[in-house]
Amino acid sequence: ETAGVMFEFDVPRAPGGTATLAQLGGIAGQFAAALDGRLVDDNRVALGQSALAAIDAQLQPVYAAMSRQGIPAGSPLALRLFS
């Protein structure tokens, strides 16, 4: 029996921005389905499409601010700053 599988998304270190988050959400959903489980956040609250869309909306300004400062997510500078 699997008690849980955790997927972590490290915002400044993950290149591709919210597109990468969407891919991770898809993969995590596939894992949940294969294990007959459910996708939840760190408070064990179910994560549906609306919750993932809300997270995406929250991250858009973060990525924009990083970009304005010349620190694209996943770049060598971001990896040094956020290690």
Side-chain angles (χ1 to χ4, degrees):
E1 179 178 322
T2 302
V5 177
M6 184 175 94
F7 291 84
E8 183 175 335
F9 186 74
D10 193 344
V11 172
R13 298 178 56 86
T18 57
T20 303
L21 176 65
Q23 288 177 334
L24 178 64
I27 291 168
Q30 290 174 359
F31 264 79
L35 296 172
D36 196 27
R38 58 192 181 106
L39 190 58
V40 298
D41 66 13
D42 54 345
N43 293 312
R44 298 187 184 246
V45 175
L47 278 177
Q49 290 302 318
S50 61
L52 292 172
I55 293 168
D56 181 276
Q58 291 173 346
L59 289 179
Q60 292 289 341
V62 172
Y63 283 116
M66 287 178 66
S67 183
R68 281 192 305 275
Q69 297 299 317
I71 310 169
S75 69
L77 180 56
L79 296 178
R80 282 196 313 273
L81 288 172
F82 298 100
S83 62

